[in-house]
Amino acid sequence: MKLFDSHAHLEDEQFEEDREELIQKIQQEGIEKFISAGYSLKSSQRAIELAQRYDFIYATAGISPNDIPQTEEELWKILDEIKKIAEQNSKVVAIGEIGLDYHWNTENKELQKKAFEEQIKIANQLDLPIVIHTREAVMDTLEILKRSEVRRRGVFHCCPLNRELVKEGLKLGFYISFCGPVTFKNAKNANEMIQMVPKDRMLIETDSPYLSPEPVRGRRNDPRNIKYIAQKVADVKGLSIEEVANVTYQNTKKVFHLKDERRE
Ligand code: NI
């Protein structure tokens, strides 16, 4: 069984002490590939550096809604840099995470929307898919996606447990990625969301070092825990874990247009 963790942050400071060692262990446990996702200019650069050192690691570059600078002028500067690094590095497989977050930030909605739309344009120009982060911003997220024509589509990272968003996202051609919270006993809607997403549109991710799934909830997360999310999806969908691993592996390759098959 080989697994693909479609979204982690191995460039995060929480891995400073044992990153290299951990990457060895991750590989030994059947995690064939993972994507280290950027969310700021600095984290995008660090994700790219990591991806350049290892064949089986890929990167995304983008400014998340929680990392928007104070002024529009600064925003344009940073987005120029994001475009440059994404264009220059072949291991960048998407623009992300980008989107809207009205849970953590409500005072800069307009700037968040601008950053989101502008990064969709960058994705279209570079012919890359996007990785969407959205929280408590259902209507605005859908409105921007509908009007922007995201050419290569992409994925809703860490499945928003919102029926409308998942339904419309699927209609627009996006993939949905499930993460740790779907394993929580009190996760509202989690089973329903898993049922809603067809097999050929689902991805799995850890979002490490955050959001550890049961039974390791509360500890630092890492890509080896992807098996718990695969198992949960398998249980709800009545599939074997091997089938979930296989289908999400293929879907991840497809949405991010990966050709490298070094180990097959
Ligand atoms: Ni993330």
Side-chain angles (χ1 to χ4, degrees):
M1 180 170 76
K2 53 182 194 181
L3 289 149
F4 199 143
D5 181 353
S6 73
H7 187 116
H9 302 281
L10 261 284
E11 76 290 345
D12 193 278
E13 279 167 7
Q14 290 189 45
F15 296 110
E16 220 47 70
E17 298 292 305
D18 61 344
R19 186 178 294 109
E20 306 299 321
E21 197 185 320
L22 180 63
I23 287 172
Q24 305 296 329
K25 287 186 199 154
I26 289 167
Q27 272 220 299
Q28 284 158 11
E29 289 199 26
I31 319 304
E32 282 274 324
K33 295 176 195 290
F34 67 85
I35 295 174
S36 213
Y39 50 83
S40 63
L41 180 56
K42 193 171 164 222
S43 75
S44 301
Q45 286 163 333
R46 286 168 58 98
I48 292 168
E49 276 165 31
L50 196 63
Q52 281 169 337
R53 292 217 305 278
Y54 298 92
D55 281 5
F56 57 95
I57 304 178
Y58 300 85
T60 73
I63 305 297
S64 94
N66 297 320
D67 293 86
I68 305 284
Q70 296 288 332
T71 67
E72 211 174 315
E73 201 188 338
E74 282 172 273
L75 176 65
W76 296 131
K77 251 189 239 160
I78 293 174
L79 293 185
D80 264 356
E81 286 300 310
I82 288 290
K83 187 179 175 188
K84 221 179 278 168
I85 60 174
E87 200 166 21
Q88 287 165 354
N89 291 284
S90 59
K91 293 296 284 290
V92 174
V93 296
I95 298 298
E97 18 183 314
I98 60 174
L100 302 174
D101 192 324
Y102 298 165
H103 177 79
W104 292 114
N105 292 294
T106 48
E107 74 298 335
N108 65 348
K109 287 185 181 177
E110 288 312 309
L111 213 49
Q112 285 191 41
K113 287 191 213 168
K114 246 179 211 145
F116 188 23
E117 293 191 271
E118 203 52 38
Q119 291 182 96
I120 291 173
K121 281 186 206 155
I122 292 173
N124 283 344
Q125 284 159 6
L126 302 183
D127 204 24
L128 289 171
I130 61 172
V131 175
I132 304 165
H133 169 111
T134 174
R135 193 163 177 197
E136 292 174 24
V138 176
M139 296 318 285
D140 285 356
T141 301
L142 287 175
E143 203 230 313
I144 288 175
L145 291 177
K146 281 178 183 165
R147 119 166 91 83
S148 303
E149 292 180 47
V150 190
R151 194 188 308 150
R152 287 292 192 175
R153 305 296 194 278
V155 49
F156 279 83
H157 126 74
C158 217
C159 180
L161 300 178
N162 179 292
R163 199 176 296 128
E164 181 71 7
L165 200 51
V166 170
K167 195 180 97 196
E168 292 299 316
L170 288 169
K171 242 195 247 172
L172 289 166
F174 286 86
Y175 288 71
I176 310 287
S177 184
F178 295 107
C179 66
V182 297
T183 66
F184 299 170
K185 292 200 172 53
N186 58 355
K188 251 173 83 191
N189 299 347
N191 290 11
E192 189 191 340
M193 297 302 120
I194 293 170
Q195 295 284 17
M196 261 176 81
V197 178
K199 232 168 54 168
D200 62 354
R201 291 288 197 85
M202 62 186 191
L203 265 51
I204 48 176
E205 67 175 68
T206 58
D207 205 18
S208 309
Y210 314 105
L211 302 176
S212 291
E214 293 288 0
V216 290
R217 191 173 176 178
R219 289 184 232 161
R220 184 186 74 172
N221 200 5
D222 76 61
R224 291 175 295 175
N225 296 328
I226 194 72
K227 58 180 179 278
Y228 300 119
I229 297 152
Q231 186 64 59
K232 169 71 186 191
V233 172
D235 291 346
V236 174
K237 280 206 158 326
L239 303 168
S240 67
I241 186 170
E242 287 79 11
E243 197 171 358
V244 171
N246 185 43
V247 79
T248 53
Y249 189 95
Q250 297 306 330
N251 292 344
T252 310
K253 268 179 57 187
K254 202 165 164 200
V255 63
F256 294 115
H257 305 97
L258 307 180
K259 289 189 192 77
D260 158 47
E261 283 306 305
R262 187 175 63 92
R263 287 158 60 88
E264 283 179 346

